[in-house]
Amino acid sequence: MVILTEEGKVALNSLLAQAIAENRVPGAYFAAGTADGTLYSGSAGIRSFRDPTSGKVDENSVFWICSMTKLVVTVAIIQLIEAGKITLETPVDSIVPELANPVVVDDINALEYTFKPAQNKMLIKHLLNHSSGLHYVPSHRKASPESLGPAYTAVGYGGDFSWRKFFELIRNGLPVVPLAFEPGTSWAYGWSCDIVALIVERVTSKSIEEYCKEKIFGPIGMKTTSFYLTPELEKNIVSMTYRRKDGALEVWNGQLGIIEREPSKVGILLGGIGTYTNLDDYLLFLRHLLQIQAGTATNPLLSVGSASNLFRPSLPEHCVEEIKAFGGWEDCQFGYGLCLANSDWPGRRKKGSGFWYGWAGTYYFMDPTTGLAVVYGTQVVPTNDPEVVKLWGQLETALYAGLKD
């Protein structure tokens, strides 16, 4: 099993400190571990831009991890599959009738849709690898190109935080839900994991929060992870920071719409974007998945076979180009819940690694070949902030340079 040298730790500490000193990001957290334990955790900066009284970013800091929620709810639904409650081939509309009779649009970016009835059934397996056809709102249908879609913003609901309203919002003005393509034939990033969480709720008659606390968070000790920004979590929350188009950072003042954060107002729990956690909790989750693969997990959340399926390519080959068009990553596939590197990233993660990120500036990957799990967090928006992404690459490169067998 790999270890991280002292020189490697010094290099990571230096990168974090330098990023703050140069005002590239207000604060950041980075941690790496193996199935056996944590190799490194480090942080720099403050929790709220230009507010030293907010406290330092540290191991207790809480982040809104947005789409890193997707892997959690993917594990939840796979547990139900293992329990025989549903199967990968279960038609989605048998549990979510709101998705019955969808239409396939000819061009999701068109100002006016033309469409035809979908011929293929949307199955649960299509939700797990984003081949369902469900897609996020095109830029011209948002408040601004850099915004989240209305179904992911508090203002979009107008106070009616219900699934009825959610489906109304994702229909984009059509009488039924639009799909980008026939289910199972291509790849598009979208609402699939929100539907995954809804299926878990309807099959178990529990909220996704209740289910995850009982079956995922509790069993492996994720004590600060929740779909609710409770007062306990809020006292350690890392505030959002907005990057203006001129590159300057700006104190958060609601420049972009985000999900409802007041626990008493949250009416539906969004499996695609809805969790808060400190990143050590999330690292624990990733390390547990590596432990399952290694056969060393105590009370594993999944079987070895199901954990391996997370890392097994599941899409038609042409989808490599669709994924590249979305994220800019060369030669990537998708397993269940994870984007997969089909080849080594020079000086970084190895072939077979699974990864994703969160809209507000959090990132992770698991590299089974090296035995690594890694998390990284800021809270800088708009998403994929250049400085945030640059620091992520620098930290990952320094981590691998500092490893020793």
Side-chain angles (χ1 to χ4, degrees):
M1 190 62 70
V2 294
I3 62 169
L4 180 63
T5 64
E6 288 304 313
E7 292 84 359
K9 294 175 184 178
V10 169
L12 291 169
N13 289 338
S14 177
L15 283 169
L16 288 166
Q18 183 179 2
I20 303 308
E22 294 174 352
N23 200 33
R24 292 166 55 194
V25 294
Y29 188 82
F30 182 82
T34 67
D36 293 335
T38 299
L39 294 178
Y40 173 86
S41 64
S43 57
I46 54 179
R47 290 178 182 161
S48 184
F49 182 51
R50 291 183 178 166
D51 181 9
T53 66
S54 64
K56 294 182 179 180
V57 173
D58 60 17
E59 69 277 7
N60 296 313
S61 295
V62 171
F63 295 79
W64 176 33
I65 61 170
C66 299
S67 288
M68 287 167 57
T69 305
K70 290 178 168 71
L71 182 59
V72 174
V73 301
T74 296
V75 169
I77 201 168
I78 292 174
Q79 288 179 328
L80 298 186
I81 292 169
E82 289 192 342
K85 305 289 186 183
I86 50 176
T87 73
L88 288 170
E89 305 294 327
T90 298
V92 172
D93 63 6
S94 68
I95 302 169
V96 185
E98 295 94 334
L99 287 171
N101 305 311
V103 295
V104 176
V105 298
D106 293 314
D107 179 3
I108 63 172
N109 293 307
L111 293 176
E112 292 190 20
Y113 287 138
T114 56
F115 52 86
K116 56 187 177 295
Q119 300 301 306
N120 295 354
K121 273 285 187 184
M122 185 191 301
L123 308 177
I124 283 177
K125 66 182 180 182
H126 299 145
L127 299 174
L128 303 188
N129 63 9
H130 296 283
S131 66
S132 66
L134 293 167
H135 57 282
Y136 283 145
V137 178
S139 293
H140 66 281
R141 296 178 185 272
K142 299 177 181 179
S144 71
E146 62 191 18
S147 295
L148 292 164
Y152 278 173
T153 65
V155 69
Y157 289 84
D160 178 13
F161 293 101
S162 65
W163 284 111
R164 182 201 64 78
K165 185 66 173 180
F166 171 87
F167 284 104
E168 176 189 316
L169 292 170
I170 73 169
R171 288 200 300 268
N172 294 338
L174 294 179
V176 293
V177 173
L179 306 180
F181 47 77
E182 288 286 349
T185 64
S186 192
W187 184 90
Y189 197 46
W191 312 109
S192 290
C193 285
D194 302 291
I195 305 306
V196 165
L198 178 58
I199 289 172
V200 172
E201 292 189 339
R202 290 184 175 176
V203 169
T204 65
S205 298
K206 297 176 181 177
S207 74
I208 191 68
E209 168 84 355
E210 292 168 333
Y211 180 88
C212 288
K213 282 194 175 298
E214 180 182 339
K215 299 294 187 178
I216 298 175
F217 304 156
I220 63 174
M222 297 172 69
K223 297 178 181 178
T224 65
T225 307
S226 178
F227 285 83
Y228 294 101
L229 186 58
T230 62
E232 182 180 6
L233 296 185
E234 189 172 22
K235 70 184 181 182
N236 290 319
I237 195 75
V238 178
S239 297
M240 309 275 280
T241 303
Y242 182 75
R243 176 93 61 188
R244 299 197 312 246
K245 288 182 172 57
D246 65 4
L249 293 172
E250 188 173 277
V251 172
W252 179 251
N253 190 31
Q255 290 90 339
L256 301 175
I258 62 173
I259 63 174
E260 178 58 57
R261 288 191 161 195
E262 170 53 50
S264 65
K265 295 181 181 178
V266 173
I268 61 172
L269 303 177
L270 297 165
I273 201 169
T275 48
Y276 307 90
T277 188
N278 73 43
L279 292 181
D280 281 357
D281 255 21
Y282 202 87
L283 183 63
L284 190 65
F285 174 59
L286 301 179
R287 288 182 49 238
H288 181 84
L289 295 176
L290 290 180
Q291 289 167 358
I292 295 173
Q293 281 207 307
T296 61
T298 302
N299 299 319
L301 298 178
L302 299 175
S303 68
V304 173
S306 290
S308 296
N309 280 340
L310 300 175
F311 296 89
R312 187 168 291 125
S314 63
L315 294 171
E317 277 304 308
H318 69 84
C319 295
V320 168
E321 293 304 313
E322 302 296 334
I323 295 170
K324 179 181 176 181
F326 173 81
W329 309 298
E330 297 282 351
D331 193 22
C332 286
Q333 252 274 0
F334 230 87
Y336 288 155
L338 288 171
C339 193
L340 306 176
N342 275 337
S343 51
D344 289 354
W345 291 22
R348 299 173 66 180
R349 67 196 72 169
K350 304 304 180 187
K351 178 181 178 179
S353 295
F355 65 93
W356 205 242
Y357 68 99
W359 178 82
T362 57
Y363 294 74
Y364 76 89
F365 70 86
M366 289 176 284
D367 177 352
T369 299
T370 309
L372 279 181
V374 183
V375 292
Y376 162 68
T378 67
Q379 296 279 252
V380 179
V381 294
T383 193
N384 283 317
D385 176 78
E387 291 294 347
V388 171
V389 173
K390 179 181 177 181
L391 180 57
W392 176 221
Q394 291 172 328
L395 289 165
E396 183 180 346
T397 301
L399 172 67
Y400 276 85
L403 294 177
K404 183 179 179 181
D405 290 328

